[in-house]
């Protein structure tokens, strides 16, 4: 599968496991797990000593992840619909307040015209919806050259440049 | 007024290109109707009953004459020769073609204008006091802060997909002319005990189906913390506002569910994390933006004029107009002139391209080339020398722009209603017409004095009916238009929501019922008491008894 990561189209082999009961066996190989599954099977997963990834939805309190951030290669943020903007706040909190340095990945209803905003909130990889052209979506990262406000990227409030 | 620098200009130019490409992709079938909808809405473009509607932002209501000419040009070239000024100080075009909207935006960008975030679930145009900068009762000019908020909120990456639309209003005066208390965030400039000027922040006000007066959640905050505090409110709302039900998604529902105190606590907690970071405003930036709003070069001899007084004495029509349509100015010898867009035979708030050009010329000649759009859907020339008033009045009269009815019964706020809007349940403009036809006697209107009629064609309340002294809400009863009246609302400092008069009334009866309500007022009023004050004193009963006497 191809995704956009760090402004380029790359191959990726991290599947998102959308549904998994806490009592289900640990999936083989790479997998982006539901947060609840990670929480229920944390000790076992850590023993496996492999790379870990979880996905969260908009209703999660990002502070819950605080003690585990160093374990994750990827935190995927779910956008169940284009208009659901909760994960933009999650992304900024994870980057700016909790200092998460790993990959932040947008999953779900992810389309070209959100990418500029997502990037500014600290999301650096994007699983573009299957029916859309990923090459076209890549253009969405460059819609604007000027940013008025500071966010999780390197922008400062614009007046500081004036 | 504020002037774009290269950063501001680049952003609106890039927005034009972005929207041009979005429109191209939609027309090419690359974007579905559902995918295009949120994109066009973030640019103020609705698909309405008969055609698209484009809403153009007029930040805090301030226009240059050059910008007004562009609005006229757009009305002429891309629409049917008129525009509609809205209650949030914007202008709406009712007949543009979708394919031409990118070109309209490019024309707007050439005069430092745009349609960014005039719709959609984002932070909308920040509105303000229509007499900002000239009012005698003003503590400080609110517009620099509106501009600072405009820039912060434009394409805010975290707050472009909020649970619902988000409106902010700022006022710096004693009297509230910006309906601050019925905004998602309302901001008053205030002075604290040590004489420092800062902000009193209200949150969770709003109209619509569930109207609320917004409580103050931060009675005083220093200017440097304005943006960090707003960001904290928005973050709490973005994370916790309801998304499961569009009718419960506004911040007012969240504030009410949590209670103002708990909501304020959550905001405070969030704010403590960010208040001393990069969001802290520099005094240098506040001063830079304030410098754009310095007063023009007033004529120090303006007050020596005697022609205004003699005009008042010699001409009754001029005197009637001056009585209603002039507003005091903090500089002696100057007045603010309200241009009524409420002539009896037009839809309230509409202006033709010819009128817009004409007003632009008058602004150049008489008012330092500036025009203000009001919350009540009128226009203002804010800086007119009193020696020019008579000539200006004559010129306004020529183009039907001098109806002497500001603040009176016929100066109605009115949404587009069933004639244009796909949400409406009932007509608003025909009711305005009916009221104008019944109450066409100027002496009677002047005797009745200040009565604010506000009318919405559905419960979304774009016409602010809840806060009208007399509110009119259009409802649909089995396919027939009926009207629900409320009495006693106000959107000023003494804000209140109107009380229901009783069962909804038939369309053809609306003006007659208002006549009965005014009869009761005339019988009950004491001295110079306004309608609103009489209502507050005597209560609903006498009005109700009169209106429903025959039932």
């Amino acid at each position: 599968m191809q995704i956009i990561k760090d402004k380029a189209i790359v191959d990726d082999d991290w599947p998102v496991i959308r549904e998994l009961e806490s009592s289900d066996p640990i999936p083989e190989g790479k997998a982006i797990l539901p947060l609840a599954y990670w929480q229920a099977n944390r000790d076992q997963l850590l023993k496996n000593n492999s790379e870990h990834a979880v996905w969260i939805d908009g209703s999660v309190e990002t502070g819950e992840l605080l003690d585990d951030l160093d374990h994750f290669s990827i935190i995927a943020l779910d956008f169940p619909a284009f208009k659901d903007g909760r994960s933009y706040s999650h992304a900024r909190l994870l980057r700016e307040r909790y200092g998460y340095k790993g990959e932040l990945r947008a999953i779900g209803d992810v389309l070209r015209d959100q990418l500029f905003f997502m990037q500014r909130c600290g999301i650096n990889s994007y699983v573009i919806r299957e029916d859309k052209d990923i090459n076209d979506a890549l253009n969405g990262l460059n819609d604007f050259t000027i940013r008025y406000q500071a966010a999780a990227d390197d922008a400062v409030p614009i007046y500081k440049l004036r | 007024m504020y002037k774009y620098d290269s950063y501001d200009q680049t952003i609106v130019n890039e927005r034009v290109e972005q929207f041009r490409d979005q429109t191209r992709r939609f027309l090419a079938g690359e974007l579905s109707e559902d995918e295009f909808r949120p994109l066009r809405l973030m640019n103020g473009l609705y698909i309405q009953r008969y055609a698209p509607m484009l809403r153009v932002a007029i930040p805090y209501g301030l226009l240059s004459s050059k910008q007004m000419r562009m609005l006229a040009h757009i009305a002429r070239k891309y629409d049917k020769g008129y525009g509609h000024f809205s209650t949030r100080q914007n202008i709406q075009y009712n007949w543009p073609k979708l394919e031409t909207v990118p070109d309209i935006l490019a024309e707007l960008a050439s005069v430092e204008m745009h349609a960014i975030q005039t719709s959609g679930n984002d932070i909308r145009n920040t509105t303000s006091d229509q007499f900002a900068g000239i009012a005698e009762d003003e503590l400080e000019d609110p517009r620099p802060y509106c501009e600072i908020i405009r820039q912060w909120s434009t394409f805010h990456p975290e707050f472009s997909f909020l649970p619902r639309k988000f409106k902010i209003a700022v006022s710096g005066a004693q009297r509230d002319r910006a309906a601050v208390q019925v905004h998602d965030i309302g901001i008053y400039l205030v002075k604290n005990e040590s004489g420092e000027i800062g902000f009193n922040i209200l949150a969770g006000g709003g109209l619509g189906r569930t109207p609320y007066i917004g409580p103050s959640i931060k009675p005083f905050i220093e200017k440097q913390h304005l943006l960090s505090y707003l960001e904290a409110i928005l973050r709490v709302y973005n994370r916790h506002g309801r998304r499961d039900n569009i009718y419960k998604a506004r911040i007012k529902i969240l504030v009410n569910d949590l209670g103002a105190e708990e909501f304020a606590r959550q905001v405070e907690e969030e704010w403590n994390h960010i208040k001393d970071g990069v969001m802290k405003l520099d005094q240098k930036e506040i001063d830079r933006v304030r410098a754009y709003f310095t007063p023009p070069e007033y004529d120090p001899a303006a007050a020596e004029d005697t022609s205004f007084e003699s005009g008042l004495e010699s001409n009754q029509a001029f005197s009637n107009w001056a009585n209603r349509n002039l507003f005091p100015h903090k500089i002696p010898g100057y007045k603010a002139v309200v241009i009524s867009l409420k002539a009896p035979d037009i839809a309230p708030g509409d202006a033709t391209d010819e009128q817009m050009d004409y007003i632009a010329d008058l602004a150049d000649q008489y008012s330092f080339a500036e025009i203000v759009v009001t919350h009540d859907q009128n226009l203002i020339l804010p800086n007119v020398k009193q020696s020019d008033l008579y000539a200006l009045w004559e010129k306004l009269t020529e183009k039907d722009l001098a109806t002497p009815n500001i603040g009176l019964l016929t100066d109605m706020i009115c949404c587009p209603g069933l004639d244009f809007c796909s949400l409406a349940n009932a007509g608003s403009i025909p009711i305005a017409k009916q009221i104008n036809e019944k109450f066409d006697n100027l002496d009677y209107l002047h005797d009745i004095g200040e009565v604010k009629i506000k009318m919405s064609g559905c419960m979304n309340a774009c016409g602010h009916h809840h806060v009208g002294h007399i509110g009119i809400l259009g409802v649909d009863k089995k396919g027939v238009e009926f009207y629900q009246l409320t009495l006693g609302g106000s959107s000023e400092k003494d804000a209140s929501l109107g009380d229901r008069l009783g069962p909804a009334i038939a369309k053809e009866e609306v003006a007659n019922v208002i006549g009965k309500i005014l009869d009761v007022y005339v019988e009950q009023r004491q001295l110079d008491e306004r309608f609103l004050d009489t209502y507050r004193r005597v209560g609903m009963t006498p009005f109700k008894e009169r209106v429903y006497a025959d039932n």
Side-chain angles (χ1 to χ4, degrees), chain B residues 208 454-456 458-459 461 463-468 470-473 486:
Chain B
K454 303 189 184 200
M455 181 162 31
S456 312
C458 76
M459 61 174 83
H464 297 201
H465 62 274
H466 299 292
V467 290
I470 298 176
I472 305 176
L473 165 65
T486 49

Side-chain angles (χ1 to χ4, degrees), chain B residues 270-287:
Chain B
E270 180 58 42
W271 180 57
N272 279 324
H273 285 289
I274 58 177
K275 68 183 184 128
D276 295 315
V278 71
M279 298 291 297
K280 201 166 166 179
L281 268 172
D282 292 352
Q283 187 58 42
K284 205 178 109 202
E285 171 63 0
I286 294 174
D287 293 341

Side-chain angles (χ1 to χ4, degrees), chain A residues 89 97 129 145 148 162, chain B residues 5 8 14 35 158 270:
Chain A
S89 288
R97 186 158 309 159
R129 217 174 68 192
T145 60
Y148 269 128
R162 282 173 161 145
Chain B
D5 65 9
D8 304 302
E14 289 178 348
E35 289 160 7
E158 185 179 350
E270 180 58 42

Side-chain angles (χ1 to χ4, degrees), chain B residues 62-78:
Chain B
L62 186 57
L63 282 173
S64 68
S65 55
K66 186 179 170 192
Q67 290 173 327
M68 183 64 107
R69 284 193 191 92
M70 177 55 78
L71 296 180
H73 165 74
I74 289 169
R76 197 159 41 235
K77 182 169 174 188
Y78 301 95

Side-chain angles (χ1 to χ4, degrees), chain B residues 228-427:
Chain B
S228 58
Y229 196 78
L230 296 186
E231 184 132 318
I233 295 175
L234 264 299
R235 182 168 287 161
V236 170
Y237 171 56
N238 189 44
R239 295 177 63 209
H240 301 300
R242 286 182 62 172
R243 291 175 187 267
D244 59 330
N245 180 340
I246 186 176
Y247 302 118
K248 295 187 188 299
R250 295 287 288 270
I251 194 176
K252 62 192 174 184
I253 304 293
L254 178 66
V255 173
N256 192 58
D257 284 353
L258 290 173
E261 208 171 306
E262 169 60 16
F263 179 77
R265 190 197 63 74
Q266 293 188 13
V267 171
E268 195 78 13
E269 190 184 318
E270 180 58 42
W271 180 57
N272 279 324
H273 285 289
I274 58 177
K275 68 183 184 128
D276 295 315
V278 71
M279 298 291 297
K280 201 166 166 179
L281 268 172
D282 292 352
Q283 187 58 42
K284 205 178 109 202
E285 171 63 0
I286 294 174
D287 293 341
R288 185 188 76 89
V289 181
R290 284 181 69 178
Y292 286 105
F293 296 91
T294 45
E297 282 192 31
Y298 292 115
D299 176 358
E304 290 162 21
D305 161 79
T306 54
S307 68
F308 176 54
E309 281 301 322
S310 47
L312 291 178
E313 280 162 26
S314 62
N315 187 320
Q316 187 59 41
F318 175 63
S319 165
N320 284 344
W321 175 81
N323 244 331
R324 291 313 320 180
N325 295 33
L326 298 184
F327 186 83
H329 197 292
K330 67 181 180 188
I331 303 297
Y334 281 83
K335 300 278 184 199
V337 171
V338 186
I339 298 173
S340 175
L341 297 182
K342 312 293 176 66
D345 48 353
I346 65 159
D350 278 8
T352 64
D353 60 323
E354 190 197 357
Q355 286 176 324
M356 287 189 245
D357 275 335
Y358 192 75
I359 291 165
D361 290 346
L362 295 177
D364 280 343
Q365 194 176 350
Y366 296 113
S367 192
F368 300 99
E370 283 185 7
I371 300 139
V372 180
V373 183
T374 81
H375 159 67
D376 307 315
Q377 304 179 283
N378 293 307
L379 300 174
I380 291 171
L381 299 180
N383 293 296
V384 182
K385 252 159 84 164
Q386 68 179 43
S387 58
D388 290 333
L389 287 168
Y390 194 90
L392 174 59
W393 168 72
E394 286 185 313
K395 289 185 177 173
L396 287 171
T397 306
E398 279 175 38
K399 299 286 176 195
D400 209 13
L401 292 166
T403 312
N405 64 346
I406 299 307
L408 298 181
L409 190 71
T410 52
D411 183 14
M412 289 169 273
I413 286 188
C414 178
C415 74
L418 199 57
D419 293 85
F420 295 101
C421 177
S422 49
L423 299 173
N425 297 126

Side-chain angles (χ1 to χ4, degrees), chain B residues 450 469 488-490 494 496 530-537:
Chain B
E450 185 185 308
H469 297 175
S490 167
D494 62 350
S496 56
R530 293 179 308 163
F531 170 80
L532 180 63
D533 300 316
T534 300
Y535 172 78
R536 284 176 172 171
R537 184 172 53 76

